[in-house]
Structures are given as structure tokens and as C-alpha cells.
Amino acid sequence: MDTGDPSTQQDGQKGWQTLAVFSLPSLAGNERQAMVLVEQAVDPLCLPVEKLDRLKTAVAEATMNAIEHGNRHQADLPVTICVLTEGNRMSVEITDYGTCGPIPAPETPDVEAKLDGRQTSRGWGFFLIEKMVDALEIHGDEAHHTIKLYLYLEGRADQDLADCSGSHE
Amino acid sequence: MAHENVVMAVRKVDDKTAAVDIRGELTAFAEDELMSAYHQAVGDGAQAVVLNFSELDYMTSSGIGLLVTLFIRANREGTQLYAVGLNPHYQRIFALTRLNETIRVFETEEEAVRVRE
């Protein structure tokens, strides 16, 4: 898709176009800023409200994880967020400086276990991310962790995009 | 450092029911506000507390954790918790997390009060 937006550029991955790249300091609460910036970046894609809400929640949770667990609240370590689109899908890549080696599989939260004390009442973040997006990938090396969130853009015809430009404000 | 960005107002609905209007963000930083509002509600004699989310801007996974903690406390004290005013997105999250099996969800405060009676 060519949105005609001069900020849109061809990404290194074949067929993917970068809609936005930005970095935020690892400060608690900056996930709100991430949500706002990603929402602005995907505006040309005219996502339905339900899908946009899911994306925003996933981005916020993944950014919080990056701030808390990856960068351990070190404000000088940025969280980098890249928003891309390709064909009928889009992706948000969130990268931190986590260097903890392989990422362990998170415990699946169980509300009954939480209520009777077998699990902590927290620990819903990764579960929510998984449920909000259509697919995700986690990559890690000795210097970074990246989570890639994918959403499919159903019914994203050119006409829909044209229509949404006047009704998405 | 971020701080709480939420206001919780406690209202008496009837002799046995109080409502907590949650305005703003339900995040980890809202813990003191939420617990304080709950204690004020039950301190005034309420046996059921309606959490009104109609002015909720944003809820994180930490906010969900707070609701689990609140339910544990309420359950221990024999207080019923209801949720009203959730938008479709947060209704979906309540269902995904099965929080709706512990905190009953209604469209309106009137419905929650009717069921309580």
C-alpha cells in the first residue's frame, strides 16, 4: 500500500512499509504515550474501533513489559517501537534492552488460582497481549528483546481507506 | 515517575448498596484509591458495591490484578461486587480473564441493584 505519506518508507523486510518509528524513555506511564503514537501511526489503515482497542491494549501491555522487565525502569534505556504494514496485515515491533537470555514461557493466569492464592493476583500482561493480537513473535539475543505484534486488516480496500479519512476523526 | 490518574467517588445507592464511580485510569497506581473507596463504601454499611466504569479511560493488566485483589477482600468480608458501565472492549477483557465470573457485569446500575434485591 502506498499511502502517499512522505514519512512512509520501504522497510528492510520485503514488502513491509514502515509507518512510524519512535523511542520512549523507560519511565512508568510511558505506555500511554506509546498507545497514542501507535494510534496516530495506524490512522491511515482505518482500523475498526474494536481492532484498534485491541491493538492499543496490546501495545500498552508490551511497552509496560519492556519498561519494567526489559529495561528495568532505567530511563536512559529507550523502548523502541516500529509500526509496519504489509498487504492485509500490520505489525508493531517493541524492542528493549533485556539481556536475560531466552524468554521463559509465562505462566497462564487462572482466575480461580488467583482467588485461592495459588497464583499472584497480577500476571495478566502477557496473557492479554496474546489475546488481543492475531499473532505474535518474541525474539531475543544477547542485547535486546523484541516482541512483534501482528493484526490482520480485514476489508482494507482502497475505497474503505478513502471513506475513513473523513469519518475517523 | 507516573502517579495515579484516577478519581473514585463513593455514592450511597440504598441502605445496602454503594457505588464507586471510577474516573480515569485503573493502573497499578490506583491501588490506594480503589481500596480506600471500597473501605469507605463498606464502612457506611454497604453489603454490595457497584463499580461504575462508565468514565474509565484506560485499564491495564495491573488494574485487572487490583480487581482480583479487591474481589478476594470483598469475598472474605461477604461483600458482593458488581461491575457496570464497561465498554465492549473491557467487557471482552472481563470475559477473557473470566473476571466476569467473580464480579458480575451489568449494563446499568439499576440492573445490578435489581439483581441484588
Side-chain angles (χ1 to χ4, degrees), chain A residues 28 31-32 57 61 112 121, chain B residues 2 25 58 61 69 89 98:
Chain A
E31 77 278 1
R32 288 299 305 260
T57 292
E61 294 295 331
E112 287 164 6
S121 60
Chain B
E25 303 176 359
Y58 168 58
S61 57
T69 301
H89 179 61
R98 295 173 56 214

Side-chain angles (χ1 to χ4, degrees), chain A residues 50-109:
Chain A
E50 177 268 342
K51 197 164 287 196
L52 184 60
D53 282 342
R54 288 199 281 123
L55 177 66
K56 287 162 64 180
T57 292
V59 166
E61 294 295 331
T63 303
M64 270 192 292
N65 281 347
I67 290 170
E68 292 177 16
H69 305 300
N71 292 349
R72 298 174 190 274
H73 292 290
Q74 293 182 62
D76 58 322
L77 293 181
V79 175
T80 301
I81 298 176
C82 185
V83 185
L84 307 117
T85 184
E86 185 266 331
N88 194 37
R89 59 183 175 160
M90 60 150 301
S91 170
V92 180
E93 301 179 359
I94 298 169
T95 300
D96 61 55
Y97 285 83
T99 56
C100 306
I103 300 165
E107 184 179 48
T108 301

